Amino acid sequence: MELRRLVRGRLDWPRLEAVAMELAKRYDRDCVHVRFLEADNWLSTPMVLDEDLFVKVISRQNTLVHTLFTTGRNLGAFSAGTEGFFERFKTPYEMAEHELEATRQMRELGINAPEPIEAVEIDGLGVVVLEYLPEFRSLDQLDGKEARDAAVQLFDSLWTLHDAGLAHGDLRAENVLVLEGEVYFIDATNVSADAREDARAYDLASALAALEPVVGPRETIDAALSAYSTDELLAARRFLDFVAIRPDHEFDTTALKGELEKRADGTPG
Ligand SMILES: Nc1ncnc2c1ncn2[C@@H]1O[C@H](COP(=O)(O)OP(=O)(O)O)[C@@H](O)[C@H]1O
Ligand SMILES: [Mg+2]
């Protein structure tokens, strides 16, 4: 089997069909329409049912890959001078339950996130069912004023999350959606409760990295300073190199650090 396919662990149709049929039964629907998303199935197979339910199907393979990634990320955290702080899951269902609960917690804090419906185990697979958000754009699809507004909202929501002792754990442009001018956080797989200070600093570094290509270094730091202190941004600086080695983050580390240092010195930008 091709390595990519093996690592991604895409499920074959009969297993996905069994999930769709079980969900149809649970929600009293005679038949359901299933649509697959163009996504990078590393950690789940996402599908949309009847254009109103967003379903993430997590296989044993996905859970193993998550553990592998997490180990790698924890090693990265060590390299940034702190202990690892990413959680691992034993079963697909545990991973599904975690995402459901974390999404619920975010909403309780007043952060926009899809409505959590349920987490179930079907044929050994973990299944998370959430409200389907239509017509969104992800952070990297915005520009101009919309992008700047989203930047401020992003840090505001992140601050709320951090103030409650949580961390998102996987902030990147595709996981920040904008719907009718409002910022939504999705993909709560790596949300941790009782997040340590360094988990929050890592989140902040990820948010800076996600925004820099969208609004530029100066607007990014401006927006971050509307919610965070200079000291908090300096704590996040430590994680920028670690975030930069992740293949999914493309940003100008030097420009971002330069801008941050300028502000920390009190030099007007
Ligand atoms: N509730 C939702 N409604 C509509 N689309 C969604 C929803 N949640 C996620 N998506 C889309 O599906 C993609 C994959 O979902 P995500 O939760 O990020 O899973 P993964 O762990 O595979 O990254 C997202 O990048 C987004 O485009
Ligand atoms: Mg995602």
Side-chain angles (χ1 to χ4, degrees):
M1 191 192 287
E2 195 195 337
L3 180 67
R4 260 172 119 75
R5 191 174 129 80
L6 176 77
V7 174
R8 293 195 175 194
R10 189 186 261 282
L11 289 158
D12 54 13
W13 172 243
R15 292 197 81 190
L16 293 170
E17 189 183 28
V19 171
M21 277 165 60
E22 175 61 27
L23 293 177
K25 207 161 75 190
R26 291 175 85 86
Y27 306 135
D28 281 329
R29 299 183 184 190
D30 291 337
C31 65
V32 283
H33 173 261
V34 179
R35 179 163 65 84
F36 292 99
L37 297 174
E38 286 292 321
D40 270 349
N41 316 104
W42 291 98
L43 299 177
S44 67
T45 304
M47 54 190 197
V48 180
L49 294 195
D50 286 346
E51 299 304 313
D52 69 341
L53 300 174
F54 179 77
V55 178
K56 266 166 98 163
V57 184
I58 304 162
S59 64
R60 179 98 209 128
Q61 185 88 312
N62 293 143
T63 308
L64 292 174
V65 171
H66 182 264
T67 301
L68 214 74
F69 280 1
T70 303
T71 306
R73 295 210 298 162
N74 281 333
L75 282 172
F78 286 125
S79 74
T82 84
E83 278 173 56
F85 42 80
F86 298 105
E87 279 180 65
R88 301 175 180 87
F89 303 108
K90 285 190 207 73
T91 63
Y93 175 62
E94 200 179 284
M95 208 166 136
E97 228 184 355
H98 179 87
E99 175 154 0
L100 187 86
E101 187 49 36
T103 306
R104 188 175 285 145
Q105 284 177 315
M106 291 201 288
R107 280 170 62 101
E108 273 168 16
L109 295 169
I111 295 166
N112 295 319
E115 184 192 338
I117 297 169
E118 64 173 340
V120 278
E121 185 167 33
I122 301 172
D123 180 27
L125 300 166
V127 180
V128 203
V129 186
L130 305 167
E131 164 196 13
Y132 175 63
L133 302 173
E135 310 276 321
F136 63 79
R137 276 171 307 153
S138 58
L139 193 61
D140 49 349
Q141 292 171 318
L142 307 176
D143 55 23
K145 184 170 183 317
E146 264 187 330
R148 290 194 297 275
D149 285 350
V152 172
Q153 274 188 58
L154 191 167
F155 288 112
D156 188 55
S157 295
L158 193 60
W159 189 89
T160 304
L161 196 70
H162 289 172
D163 187 49
L166 271 66
H168 184 278
D170 196 13
L171 272 177
R172 61 175 85 191
E174 312 90 86
N175 288 340
V176 178
L177 307 184
V178 176
L179 194 70
E180 292 170 359
E182 302 250 331
V183 164
Y184 283 69
F185 283 175
I186 60 157
D187 202 355
T189 310
N190 293 296
V191 168
S192 53
D194 289 327
R196 296 203 326 254
E197 208 175 310
D198 40 15
R200 299 198 291 265
Y202 171 79
D203 253 3
L204 192 49
S206 306
L208 295 172
L211 270 167
E212 191 280 331
V214 185
V215 295
R218 190 167 159 175
E219 299 277 3
T220 298
I221 303 293
D222 270 344
L225 284 171
S226 67
Y228 288 89
S229 68
T230 322
D231 283 348
E232 285 167 321
L233 293 195
L234 287 173
R237 184 189 183 285
R238 191 157 55 110
F239 285 101
L240 283 174
D241 291 319
F242 167 35
V243 173
I245 55 171
R246 288 174 53 176
D248 43 20
H249 282 280
E250 287 281 342
F251 67 103
D252 189 339
T253 324
T254 315
L256 204 50
K257 283 184 180 168
E259 194 62 35
L260 222 167
E261 276 146 27
K262 210 155 65 180
R263 302 308 176 86
D265 289 345
T267 321

